Amino acid sequence: MEPVRFEREARYWDGVAASANASGTLNFGGGAKDSGGRVADAILSPDTDHGRRIRGW
C-alpha cells in the first residue's frame, strides 16, 4: 500500500475510481460497485495498467 498515490490528482485516478474533465477536476460520481472493483483490482494487481497508474509508475 505504501507506493499507492492517494492524492486526488487526475493522473493517478482518472479511469480507475473517477473521471477527469478537461480542467483536470475529478468526478467521483457513478457506480460505487464498479469503481470500487477497479480500485481493488488496481491495489491488488500492481502490474496492471490501473495498478501502475495509482502508483505513479
Side-chain angles (χ1 to χ4, degrees):
M1 294 286 292
E2 186 174 321
V4 174
R5 305 298 303 258
F6 288 100
E7 298 88 11
R8 289 185 176 195
E9 294 183 35
R11 64 182 172 182
Y12 305 126
W13 296 102
D14 183 31
V16 181
S19 59
N21 62 19
S23 66
T25 303
L26 289 171
N27 176 5
F28 287 92
K33 185 176 178 182
D34 290 334
S35 61
R38 286 191 301 270
V39 170
D41 288 342
I43 289 172
L44 295 173
S45 305
D47 293 328
T48 63
D49 289 338
H50 287 156
R52 288 190 293 274
R53 177 174 292 171
I54 67 169
R55 288 167 175 82
W57 300 343

